[in-house]
Structure formats: structure tokens, C-alpha cells
Amino acid sequence: MRQIVREHAVGQGFSLVDQTKIVTAASELARNIINYGGGGEMLLRPLVDGNRKGVMLVFIDKGPGIPDIALALKDGYTTGGGMGLGLGGAKRLSSEFSIESRVGVGTRVTITRWK
Ligand SMILES: Nc1ncnc2c1ncn2[C@@H]1O[C@H](COP(=O)(O)OP(=O)(O)O)[C@@H](O)[C@H]1O
Ligand SMILES: [Mg+2]
């Protein structure tokens, strides 16, 4: 997954720093899907808006959902003995970030990084 994200970031002309930012964010969100979401999928969409290029990634699982999204986003909050920095970190590394989650249904996290 990291390799695929990096290849697309390179294809969109991202600098090495921007490649690393989106790969790191993707890595945290994929890890959450594995650790908490019971597995899932990632969708990748290259974006073009005039001269701007970007990459959108959507992480989808049908796991337990997140009861309190604001709490889950707080640095240091973890229910799994982690560092609690994944969601907040992914948000900081992204240009746009959104979470939709329903308890008992699943979670969808969408991030966009523009070049
Ligand atoms: N896909 C997900 N499904 C259910 N809960 C999640 C998901 N992603 C994150 N969470 C919840 O949000 C908390 C914070 O996530 P994160 O910031 O990545 O920290 P960590 O992975 O270190 O716990 C997790 O401990 C978990 O309770
Ligand atoms: Mg995490």
C-alpha cells in the first residue's frame, strides 16, 4: 500500500517531502484499519485541478466504528495501547481530512494531499 501511494505521488510530481507526508499519513490510516477496523480497503484517486495536482485516498472499513471522533483525534488518545498519534498525525500531514464513522457500521477516512 505504501509503495502504491508513493508511486502515485511520484506520478503526480510530488516532492520527496510531500511523498513522505502522504505515505506516512496513509500508513497510519491503514494501520488503524488493520488494528481496529478488522481490515478494509483503500481507494486512490489522482486529482487534477487546473495546474494543481494531488492525490485523494479513502480508507474504508466495516469495523466497530468510532463512538467519539473528536476524542479519537486527540493526540495521545488510544484504545489499543498505541501512541495515539495516528489520526491527528494523518490530519496534520494532509491538505484535507475528514472522518465519517458509525458505531456498528464502520469508518471512512478521506485525505487529500495537494502538491
Ligand atoms: N478505523 C478505525 N475503526 C475503529 N476505531 C478506530 C479506527 N481508527 C482509529 N480508531 C480509534 O481511534 C483511536 C486513535 O487512533 P490513532 O490516533 O491512530 O492512535 P492509535 O492507533 O495509536 O491508537 C484508536 O485507538 C481507536 O480507538
Ligand atoms: Mg493508529
Side-chain angles (χ1 to χ4, degrees):
M1 189 282 305
R2 292 169 64 97
Q3 205 172 322
I4 289 167
V5 171
R6 188 174 292 276
E7 280 166 12
H8 280 82
V10 170
Q12 290 294 75
F14 280 38
S15 68
L16 186 56
V17 168
D18 281 342
Q19 290 168 37
T20 302
K21 284 181 177 175
I22 193 166
V23 169
T24 303
S27 188
E28 290 298 332
L29 297 173
R31 206 186 305 280
N32 283 351
I33 280 187
I34 293 164
N35 287 346
Y36 307 114
E41 56 185 330
M42 181 191 78
L43 309 180
L44 183 154
R45 178 183 293 171
L47 301 173
V48 181
D49 177 16
N51 287 333
R52 284 205 312 170
K53 285 189 173 179
V55 176
M56 175 190 281
L57 302 175
V58 188
F59 296 83
I60 300 164
D61 69 65
K62 295 187 168 119
I66 302 176
D68 185 338
I69 291 172
L71 185 60
L73 276 166
K74 282 205 173 126
D75 284 345
Y77 178 81
T78 180
T79 59
M83 301 268 283
L85 294 171
L87 287 176
K91 184 174 184 182
R92 287 188 289 272
L93 291 168
S94 302
S95 312
E96 292 150 33
F97 177 95
S98 71
I99 301 186
E100 297 156 74
S101 189
R102 281 175 62 196
V103 172
V105 179
T107 300
R108 173 188 292 249
V109 182
T110 305
I111 64 172
T112 299
R113 176 87 210 177
W114 292 98
K115 206 184 128 177

Coordinates of all heavy atoms in Angstrom, one line a residue, residues 36 70-89 92:
Y36 N -7.9 -1.8 14.2 CA -9.2 -1.5 14.8 C -10.4 -1.8 13.9 O -11.5 -2.0 14.4 CB -9.3 0.0 15.3 CG -8.1 0.4 16.1 CD1 -7.2 1.3 15.7 CD2 -8.0 -0.1 17.4 CE1 -6.1 1.7 16.5 CE2 -6.9 0.2 18.2 CZ -6.0 1.1 17.7 OH -4.9 1.5 18.5
A70 N -14.1 13.3 17.9 CA -13.2 14.4 18.5 C -12.2 13.8 19.5 O -11.0 14.2 19.5 CB -14.1 15.4 19.1
L71 N -12.6 12.8 20.3 CA -11.7 12.2 21.2 C -10.7 11.4 20.5 O -9.5 11.4 20.9 CB -12.6 11.3 22.2 CG -11.9 10.7 23.4 CD1 -11.2 11.7 24.3 CD2 -12.8 9.8 24.2
A72 N -11.1 10.6 19.5 CA -10.2 9.8 18.8 C -9.1 10.6 18.1 O -8.0 10.1 17.9 CB -10.9 8.9 17.8
L73 N -9.4 11.9 17.8 CA -8.5 12.7 17.1 C -7.4 13.4 18.0 O -6.4 13.9 17.6 CB -9.2 13.8 16.3 CG -9.7 13.5 15.0 CD1 -10.7 14.5 14.5 CD2 -8.6 13.4 14.0
K74 N -7.7 13.3 19.3 CA -6.8 13.9 20.3 C -5.5 13.2 20.4 O -5.5 12.0 20.5 CB -7.5 14.0 21.7 CG -8.5 15.0 21.8 CD -8.7 15.5 23.3 CE -9.6 16.7 23.3 NZ -10.7 16.4 24.3
D75 N -4.4 14.0 20.3 CA -3.1 13.3 20.4 C -3.0 12.6 21.8 O -3.3 13.2 22.8 CB -2.0 14.4 20.3 CG -1.8 14.8 18.9 OD1 -2.3 14.2 18.0 OD2 -1.2 15.9 18.7
G76 N -2.5 11.4 21.7 CA -2.3 10.6 22.9 C -3.5 9.7 23.3 O -3.4 8.8 24.1
Y77 N -4.6 9.9 22.6 CA -5.8 9.0 22.9 C -5.7 7.7 22.1 O -5.5 7.7 20.9 CB -7.1 9.7 22.5 CG -8.3 8.8 22.8 CD1 -8.8 8.6 24.1 CD2 -8.9 8.0 21.7 CE1 -9.9 7.8 24.3 CE2 -9.9 7.2 22.0 CZ -10.4 7.0 23.2 OH -11.5 6.2 23.5
T78 N -5.7 6.6 22.8 CA -5.7 5.3 22.2 C -6.5 4.3 22.9 O -6.6 4.4 24.2 CB -4.2 4.8 22.0 OG1 -4.2 3.5 21.4 CG2 -3.5 4.7 23.4
T79 N -7.1 3.4 22.3 CA -7.8 2.3 22.9 C -7.0 1.0 22.7 O -7.4 0.0 23.2 CB -9.2 2.1 22.4 OG1 -9.2 1.8 21.0 CG2 -10.1 3.3 22.7
G80 N -5.9 1.1 22.0 CA -5.2 -0.1 21.7 C -3.7 -0.1 22.2 O -2.9 -0.9 21.7
G81 N -3.4 0.7 23.1 CA -2.0 0.8 23.6 C -1.0 1.3 22.6 O 0.2 1.0 22.7
G82 N -1.5 2.1 21.7 CA -0.6 2.8 20.7 C -0.1 4.1 21.2 O -0.3 4.4 22.4
M83 N 0.4 4.9 20.3 CA 0.8 6.3 20.7 C -0.3 7.3 20.7 O -0.2 8.4 21.2 CB 1.9 6.7 19.8 CG 3.1 5.8 19.8 SD 4.4 6.3 20.9 CE 5.1 7.7 20.0
G84 N -1.4 6.9 20.0 CA -2.5 7.8 19.9 C -2.2 9.0 19.0 O -2.8 10.1 19.2
L85 N -1.3 8.9 18.1 CA -0.9 10.0 17.2 C -1.3 9.8 15.8 O -1.0 10.6 14.9 CB 0.6 10.2 17.3 CG 1.2 10.6 18.7 CD1 2.7 10.6 18.7 CD2 0.7 12.1 19.0
G86 N -1.9 8.6 15.5 CA -2.1 8.3 14.1 C -3.1 9.2 13.4 O -2.8 9.8 12.3
L87 N -4.3 9.4 14.0 CA -5.3 10.2 13.3 C -4.9 11.6 13.3 O -5.0 12.3 12.2 CB -6.7 10.0 14.0 CG -7.4 8.7 13.8 CD1 -8.7 8.7 14.7 CD2 -7.7 8.4 12.4
G88 N -4.4 12.2 14.4 CA -4.0 13.6 14.4 C -2.8 13.8 13.5 O -2.8 14.8 12.8
G89 N -1.9 12.9 13.5 CA -0.8 13.0 12.6 C -1.2 13.0 11.1 O -0.7 13.8 10.3
R92 N -2.6 16.3 10.2 CA -1.6 17.3 10.1 C -0.8 17.2 8.8 O -0.3 18.2 8.2 CB -0.7 17.4 11.3 CG -1.3 17.9 12.5 CD -0.3 18.1 13.6 NE 0.1 16.8 14.2 CZ -0.5 16.2 15.2 NH1 -1.6 16.7 15.8 NH2 0.0 15.1 15.7

